[in-house]
Amino acid sequence: MTPELLRLIVAQVCLHAAMTGTRLASPLLALKEGYSAATVGALLSLFALTQVFLALPAGRFADRHGLRLPLQIAVAAATSGAALAALFPVLPVLCLAALLTGGATGIALIALQRHVGRAATNPTQLKQVFSWLAISPAAANFVGPFATGLLIDHAGSTPGDLVGYRASFVLLAVLPVICWLLARGTQELPTAPAVPGAPKPRAWDLLREPMFRRLLFVNWLQSASWDVHTFVLPLLGHDRGLSASVIGSVLGAFAVAAAAIRVVLPMVASHLKERTVITASNILTALVFAVYPLMTTAIGMGACSVALGVALGAVQPMVMSMLHQITPHARHGEALGLRVMTLNASSVAMPMLFGAAGSLIGIAGVFWLVGGIVAAGTRAVWGLKVPPAPADHSL
């Protein structure tokens, strides 16, 4: 790992943690104020809503301008969202904070993934750099919720009072500023020049590639699994009477496991096939979802969280490696934007569907339903194929 890549990893941890911490504090505060599970589901869906509309423009913007300018925009949005929540901790402002921090995370993610992918020189290096970079959201999923839960429980005069929530949002507003301080010195890579007289490419043309469509579907299975865990765990923990810090710790255990597997992956990347890793992840995810709702203690939930973190944590580096090999070099940002848009369109709808389904079939039913879908989708994973060399044709 180079010093520059290390700085980018830590920078993304800081920015992403602003979103994950807000994503824990906002629903807990809404539940504290007496809002329903359906309202909490709608609130959580807003973290992905901005990315649905910004992902494609953000990808094209990154293809034209590189890394630093998109990152500046993301830092400003994330800091503003968390700061507003600290000043005005009411539901409408929490919704705005969700939109701003979620959108900022998507913009930064696309720009960073494009940058490190273009810096890689071969498929093994792609898996290595994306494994290292994928540590960032996993680590942020620990740092954000864990620090937020501690402040909520201990910063105020009593656990869970409004002062604790305000303190957590203040911390979350500072983290993106640290991100910019770390990343501002990154050397830009040259952008691909436009071909004179060539027709303007359309993002939807990328979907004509069968492997790209299949890869998006496979990635969606993992994203839905991640979403159901993020959404249902606070509800399950609240139902079990667990405190905010314990819920944050269980989510943190998931993040630590996801980060740990991503630390191991670069060391064995040359021996791994993307398709094999994703297939194993699907099977383990389905098994964990089958037993998760049967756990009644924090220890049992933590064990399931760790197993799920291992399963889902291994997937993203493999998906990103394949994506950069099956899409044109000059359109990596656009392909990343289309991926982010597709996954986050799902993430907008999924929490609301999970909330409605939870009211009808219970929390256990939601786990089992998603686990069944993941198990059924394993067959699609086996149809993925990586070309022998990165694609260099135009669509």
Side-chain angles (χ1 to χ4, degrees), residues 15-16 18-20 22-23 44-59 70-79 81 95-111 340 344 348:
L15 182 63
H16 203 102
M19 185 274 290
T20 57
T22 304
R23 196 171 58 190
L44 284 172
S45 71
L46 297 178
F47 285 93
L49 181 62
T50 317
Q51 298 182 46
V52 174
F53 299 102
L54 288 182
L56 274 177
L71 204 58
Q72 283 180 318
I73 296 170
V75 166
T79 297
C95 292
L96 178 60
L99 291 170
L100 288 171
T101 57
T105 301
I107 293 170
L109 181 66
I110 291 169
V340 170
N344 283 281
V348 170

Side-chain angles (χ1 to χ4, degrees), residues 25 35 42 54 63 70 80 183 189 191 206 280-281 285 301 310 349 358 362-363 384:
Y35 290 98
L54 288 182
D63 281 334
S80 300
L189 299 174
T191 57
L206 292 168
S281 169
T285 297
M301 293 167 61
V310 170
I363 296 175
L384 288 172

Side-chain angles (χ1 to χ4, degrees), residues 5-17:
L5 180 58
L6 178 59
R7 287 196 304 272
L8 291 178
I9 289 171
V10 179
Q12 190 185 2
V13 169
C14 293
L15 182 63
H16 203 102

Side-chain angles (χ1 to χ4, degrees), residues 58-349:
R60 296 190 183 108
F61 191 78
D63 281 334
R64 294 194 302 269
H65 299 285
L67 174 66
R68 284 197 293 268
L69 185 55
L71 204 58
Q72 283 180 318
I73 296 170
V75 166
T79 297
S80 300
L84 286 171
L87 292 172
F88 309 104
V90 295
L91 184 63
V93 178
L94 294 179
C95 292
L96 178 60
L99 291 170
L100 288 171
T101 57
T105 301
I107 293 170
L109 181 66
I110 291 169
L112 286 164
Q113 288 176 340
R114 175 189 175 277
H115 180 84
V116 301
R118 289 172 64 86
T121 58
N122 57 65
T124 297
Q125 198 173 78
L126 276 172
K127 285 181 280 190
Q128 289 173 333
V129 297
F130 280 120
S131 295
W132 287 121
L133 188 64
I135 294 172
S136 302
N141 281 331
F142 172 76
V143 172
F146 184 71
T148 298
L150 287 178
L151 287 173
I152 290 172
D153 281 346
H154 302 294
S157 57
T158 59
D161 69 8
L162 193 57
V163 173
Y165 282 97
R166 286 182 184 271
S168 68
F169 286 125
V170 168
L171 172 65
L172 299 174
V174 173
L175 289 176
V177 178
I178 301 174
C179 164
W180 174 245
L181 295 176
L182 289 167
R184 63 180 178 176
T186 302
Q187 182 178 359
E188 291 281 12
L189 299 174
T191 57
V195 179
K200 184 178 180 180
R202 297 179 303 171
W204 302 112
D205 293 340
L206 292 168
L207 292 174
R208 294 178 182 174
E209 294 289 337
M211 284 301 105
F212 186 74
R213 292 198 306 268
R214 186 180 289 264
L215 185 64
L216 282 184
F217 171 71
V218 168
N219 203 182
W220 172 80
L221 291 175
Q222 308 299 326
S223 177
S225 301
W226 199 297
D227 285 342
V228 72
H229 184 252
T230 300
F231 170 67
V232 177
L233 180 59
L235 297 179
L236 185 63
H238 186 266
D239 185 63
R240 299 284 194 269
L242 302 180
S243 67
S245 57
V246 172
I247 296 172
S249 297
V250 174
L251 281 172
F254 172 86
V256 169
I261 192 65
R262 289 169 178 177
V263 170
V264 174
L265 286 176
M267 305 173 191
V268 295
S270 60
H271 304 291
L272 297 175
K273 297 295 184 183
E274 292 94 341
R275 184 175 64 176
T276 302
V277 173
I278 299 173
T279 300
S281 169
N282 262 40
I283 295 172
L284 181 55
T285 297
L287 291 174
V288 171
F289 276 3
V291 301
Y292 211 133
L294 304 179
M295 299 297 146
T296 58
T297 65
I299 294 176
M301 293 167 61
C304 287
S305 188
V306 168
L308 194 63
V310 170
L312 298 182
V315 171
Q316 182 175 316
M318 302 299 125
V319 169
M320 298 307 303
S321 173
M322 295 187 77
L323 184 144
H324 274 73
Q325 294 176 69
I326 65 178
T327 56
H329 187 71
R331 301 182 67 187
H332 284 166
E334 199 170 19
L336 289 166
L338 185 57
R339 170 186 171 268
V340 170
M341 185 192 73
T342 302
L343 296 184
N344 283 281
S346 170
S347 293
V348 170

